[in-house]
Amino acid sequence: MLGEHQKRLLQDMFENLPGISFLILSRATDDLRLAEWVGTVLATLVCLAYVKRVLRAHPILLGINIFMVVITPLIEILVLSGSRNAADLLIGNIDSLVLGSVFLTGVVLTLFTAKGFLTYDAKSAKQTRIHSTAMLALCVAGIVWSAAMGQNYLITLAVPLMVLFGCQRFLRAGATDRQSRGGVLLSGTIPMDPPAETVA
């Protein structure tokens, strides 16, 4: 029987699988079309798990997986309709488009959900907005970085995503530390029950 942490680990692996599969296949086979379709099919399964509430969406991965569901069919439609130049333009800017999808997803979550672009409960709505805004600013910086650094996905996409994930973990750790200290202080102010009298 799997424990809660083991289940969550498997869910995290499943949620990451579309993007990881795309990166591995695109590098290992040089067949971008195959890598895109495998990633799209897996991302569709992940999104179905979101809809069925089998999987709690990580905000950054949600943006990536939504992008992967949309981009491959869109490129295929453009190619079949004779708009090869437009399709090539999308393919040449995949890294910036992924980060743009993460940014737009973050904007929607920040505007319309209680947790915003976070994976944790902040101490207040103000802190949620501040942390979400910081994440969105990093997304914008990542888009600029990817546009300026050429076509190496390991540099233009993997590095900004690593920074985003790392920043969110850092902010979450800080929020958790503050909540823990607050809990300790609160417990120190609660009066203890007087010791029970004993009968000799």
Side-chain angles (χ1 to χ4, degrees):
M1 189 75 177
L2 294 176
E4 286 301 316
H5 291 294
Q6 290 174 315
K7 289 179 182 178
R8 186 59 197 170
L9 177 60
L10 291 175
Q11 289 172 348
D12 289 345
M13 292 170 62
F14 176 61
E15 195 176 10
N16 277 283
L17 192 57
I20 292 172
S21 299
F22 170 78
L23 288 174
I24 291 174
L25 287 173
S26 64
R27 290 295 175 182
T29 67
D30 290 326
D31 188 342
L32 188 60
R33 191 163 183 257
L34 173 64
E36 288 173 347
W37 275 112
V38 169
T40 296
V41 170
L42 292 172
T44 301
L45 294 176
V46 171
C47 288
L48 287 174
Y50 293 152
V51 172
K52 297 287 188 181
R53 299 187 183 277
V54 175
L55 195 63
R56 289 179 296 171
H58 186 290
I60 298 172
L61 293 174
L62 176 62
I64 295 171
N65 287 320
I66 290 174
F67 174 80
M68 295 188 72
V69 168
V70 172
I71 191 64
T72 302
L74 177 58
I75 289 172
E76 291 287 342
I77 289 170
L78 289 172
V79 171
L80 292 174
S81 66
S83 302
R84 183 73 207 190
N85 289 339
D88 289 340
L89 182 63
L90 291 179
I91 292 170
N93 292 281
I94 286 290
D95 43 8
S96 297
L97 293 172
V98 170
L99 294 168
S101 176
V102 173
F103 172 77
L104 291 176
T105 301
V107 169
V108 172
L109 292 174
T110 299
L111 293 176
F112 299 109
T113 66
K115 284 188 177 181
F117 196 22
L118 309 177
T119 56
Y120 54 90
D121 293 314
K123 69 176 183 180
S124 65
K126 180 180 179 181
Q127 188 182 68
T128 298
R129 287 193 298 272
I130 292 172
H131 286 193
S132 294
T133 300
M135 294 294 298
L136 292 173
L138 278 178
C139 285
V140 173
I143 294 169
V144 174
W145 167 273
S146 67
M149 296 304 293
Q151 295 295 318
N152 187 337
Y153 288 151
L154 292 178
I155 295 175
T156 59
L157 183 57
V159 169
L161 288 177
M162 287 171 61
V163 171
L164 279 172
F165 281 109
C167 180
Q168 190 163 80
R169 287 189 176 188
F170 180 78
L171 292 173
R172 178 174 188 163
T176 302
D177 287 343
R178 282 189 292 273
Q179 289 168 2
S180 297
R181 287 196 297 270
V184 170
L185 291 173
L186 182 62
S187 65
T189 63
I190 298 174
M192 300 295 290
D193 291 334
E197 294 182 0
T198 59
V199 179

